[in-house]
Amino acid sequence: MKIATWNVNGIRARHAQVLEWVERDRPDVICLQEIKATPDQVPPELCEMEGYWCYWHGGKGYSGVGLHVSKGLSPEKPDFSHPSFDFEHRIVQADLASGLTVSSIYVPN
């Protein structure tokens, strides 16, 4: 299993590089941090990547996380969620049918 993570520092500015990276490396799980966008501001190409389930948890211009899970790893759509205390859009997790849980977490230093 290949799990990859990237602090993109703004998904709208980096969406082309993210698409190239995913096409080249095809990770099973993609964790993105500091997306700085609401889900409706994320470029559609990133929400419609073939072979992936995706979830975006972000706010306008501040923090935010994204999580993509390969349909090869999880043929059924995972149960995506974030804790109710996460007011700054820093955590998203996916519970897979296999019993595995994966998370994308943005923790500044």
Side-chain angles (χ1 to χ4, degrees), residues 11-21 46:
I11 194 64
R12 291 171 287 178
R14 304 273 184 281
H15 78 275
Q17 291 101 335
V18 170
L19 290 171
E20 290 171 13
W21 169 60
L46 293 172

Side-chain angles (χ1 to χ4, degrees), residues 40-96:
D40 62 324
Q41 292 176 311
V42 174
E45 304 87 2
L46 293 172
C47 299
E48 301 163 1
M49 286 194 303
E50 187 175 335
Y52 287 93
W53 303 107
C54 71
Y55 188 88
W56 301 96
H57 180 49
K60 198 170 191 174
Y62 180 73
S63 65
V65 288
L67 183 58
H68 287 67
V69 177
S70 165
K71 291 181 179 178
L73 179 64
S74 179
E76 297 176 27
K77 185 175 182 179
D79 181 22
F80 291 101
S81 63
H82 46 84
S84 60
F85 64 79
D86 182 24
F87 299 112
E88 292 187 339
H89 307 102
R90 294 181 181 270
I91 303 168
V92 62
Q93 74 178 32
D95 295 319
L96 311 183

